[in-house]
Amino acid sequence: MIFKRILMTFCFLTLSFNEIYSQNNTLQADLEEMMQWFEGEFDNFQQAWKENEDQVDENIRHERIHSIFKKVDAPKLGDQVFYVKQFQNGDTTNIYRQRIYNFSINKTEGAIQLDIFSFLTPEDGKTYAMANHNPSLLKAIDFKDLRASPGCEVYWKKNGDHFVGYMKDRACHFTSRRSGKEIYITDTLKLTEDEIWIQDEAEDADGNYVFGNKAGIPHKLKKCRFFKGWIGIEKAPGSDEFYFMKNIILHDQGQKVQLIDDKDGTKTKYSVELSEVIYASGIEVLKLAIYEDGKEKAPAYVWANPDAKQIGINIRTMSAGFTLIEAK
């Protein structure tokens, strides 16, 4: 009888160990996959553009936001650390959020845990504003250099072909300086290999709306692909001289760059834009367009399949060509 109990206990412990080992392996594999999907730049240009085309009620339209998630080497913080920068309306100087994200495995929750940190002062934010281009700026950063957000942890779990992120109910909150009321934040997210959906919402202690999309629709950001190319514009009708600019880097989610002549630095009235849009027929395309200041409609544009690796245009007076920068 005693031997039987010992055997049953051994079997139970063996099963428990195997379950824990299997869960740890699964979470580690999920973490590695998620980190590959998460790194990059994301933009909801397509969503904002389509809502404008469809004349969606302005009260429920989405702001255009651009998110940069750059993995950095910050050994004092952890192994999976990201510098995060977000700006609005395609304006890289209109930064509204800078954060440090630290990912780890939470065995108790059976999830990947995201801890969110902010910089201590606005001056620190300026110091690290270009960390996505120069990650070494964050090499020596420590927890003492950052402000934690207890209760605002996001937990991520794999669900089929995507990850779902969530916060604990009413765990993330702060006291409003303006109203003196407690504000509760909810963050619901979805991450795929090509997109991240972000649904930030907040309400006060009485359940009154504070911020978030009033229709309950998340910001749907698509991962940017980057292209390198050139543009040439005729200086005057019938002229043999062209304004020309090469080595232009554009992402395909609505980035626009002004044509500045390589030869003499002349700032022209023309810009080139690369975007992924959906036309009324529901067809998604990659669009290359040349714009003139003060005019809403592009005098020249062309489209291709959204997964195209090259795109170009030539109408004699203006031409441009771009090629996908393949990931290394």
Side-chain angles (χ1 to χ4, degrees):
M1 185 69 176
I2 295 175
F3 175 77
K4 185 176 181 180
R5 288 179 179 175
I6 293 173
L7 181 62
M8 289 177 66
T9 301
F10 175 77
C11 291
F12 174 77
L13 291 174
T14 301
L15 286 170
S16 298
F17 174 80
N18 287 338
E19 288 174 358
I20 293 171
Y21 180 79
S22 176
Q23 182 194 50
N24 289 345
N25 277 355
T26 298
L27 285 174
Q28 184 61 40
D30 287 349
L31 176 62
E32 291 172 4
E33 182 176 47
M34 183 180 171
M35 295 302 91
Q36 292 178 5
W37 291 4
F38 189 75
E39 185 169 20
E41 299 191 26
F42 298 78
D43 199 297
N44 71 324
F45 171 86
Q46 185 182 91
Q47 181 183 41
W49 180 87
K50 191 70 167 62
E51 289 179 348
N52 182 62
E53 288 290 300
D54 294 344
Q55 298 183 339
V56 171
D57 188 329
E58 291 188 5
N59 289 321
I60 58 173
R61 287 190 192 183
H62 291 79
E63 310 91 343
R64 183 188 170 191
I65 61 176
H66 187 97
S67 296
I68 299 172
F69 303 120
K70 177 65 177 180
K71 189 172 183 181
V72 297
D73 182 16
K76 293 180 181 179
L77 301 184
D79 296 327
Q80 304 293 347
V81 180
F82 286 77
Y83 169 69
V84 178
K85 180 164 69 176
Q86 296 171 302
F87 55 84
Q88 292 181 318
N89 302 320
D91 181 358
T92 57
T93 65
N94 188 10
I95 301 170
Y96 69 91
R97 183 177 295 155
Q98 286 178 276
R99 296 289 186 268
I100 296 295
Y101 283 4
N102 190 11
F103 291 90
S104 60
I105 290 175
N106 185 319
K107 297 177 183 178
T108 303
E109 188 73 16
I112 296 165
Q113 179 173 323
L114 165 59
D115 294 300
I116 302 172
F117 301 89
S118 55
F119 294 109
L120 296 177
T121 67
E123 288 70 27
D124 288 340
K126 294 177 182 178
T127 299
Y128 299 114
M130 298 304 290
N132 53 305
H133 296 293
N134 185 12
S136 63
L137 289 171
L138 295 164
K139 181 80 173 181
I141 201 163
D142 203 343
F143 288 109
K144 63 180 175 57
D145 304 314
L146 301 167
R147 182 181 293 108
S149 304
C152 298
E153 300 84 3
V154 179
Y155 300 94
W156 294 85
K157 291 185 177 182
K158 185 76 180 292
N159 182 11
D161 63 351
H162 63 278
F163 288 88
V164 174
Y166 61 92
M167 286 181 172
K168 296 291 184 68
D169 187 41
R170 290 211 155 196
C172 184
H173 58 92
F174 65 94
T175 302
S176 171
R177 294 180 182 178
R178 181 181 300 177
S179 67
K181 291 185 176 181
E182 205 66 10
I183 306 299
Y184 295 88
I185 300 173
T186 301
D187 202 358
T188 306
L189 304 107
K190 176 182 176 181
L191 176 70
T192 71
E193 193 171 1
D194 303 310
E195 296 186 10
I196 186 167
W197 293 11
I198 303 172
Q199 189 169 346
D200 291 330
E201 297 176 306
E203 62 181 24
D204 64 22
D206 299 322
N208 297 312
Y209 170 90
V210 176
F211 67 75
N213 182 264
K214 292 183 178 180
I217 300 172
H219 285 80
K220 299 178 180 181
L221 287 72
K222 296 176 69 68
K223 180 172 277 190
C224 302
R225 295 191 306 153
F226 286 84
F227 288 71
K228 184 176 182 179
W230 55 270
I231 177 175
I233 304 284
E234 188 179 65
K235 287 188 175 182
S239 172
D240 291 331
E241 295 185 352
F242 282 73
Y243 295 114
F244 189 81
M245 184 178 179
K246 61 182 179 179
N247 297 323
I248 304 169
I249 305 297
L250 282 178
H251 67 66
D252 63 350
Q253 298 304 316
Q255 186 174 11
K256 184 184 287 187
V257 171
Q258 183 181 15
L259 167 55
I260 300 175
D261 188 55
D262 285 341
K263 187 175 181 180
D264 59 16
T266 299
K267 292 185 178 180
T268 74
K269 60 182 178 181
Y270 297 100
S271 299
V272 60
E273 180 186 79
L274 196 59
S275 60
E276 208 175 321
V277 298
I278 300 175
Y279 283 108
S281 58
I283 297 175
E284 189 170 347
V285 300
L286 177 66
K287 176 185 174 184
L288 175 64
I290 298 173
Y291 286 93
E292 185 177 342
D293 290 351
K295 295 183 179 180
E296 183 178 348
K297 293 186 177 181
Y301 70 92
V302 67
W303 64 88
N305 288 331
D307 58 354
K309 295 184 178 182
Q310 287 186 313
I311 188 168
I313 184 172
N314 187 338
I315 59 169
R316 304 299 183 187
T317 58
M318 54 183 66
S319 56
F322 286 84
T323 299
L324 178 70
I325 301 173
E326 298 283 4
K328 296 181 180 179

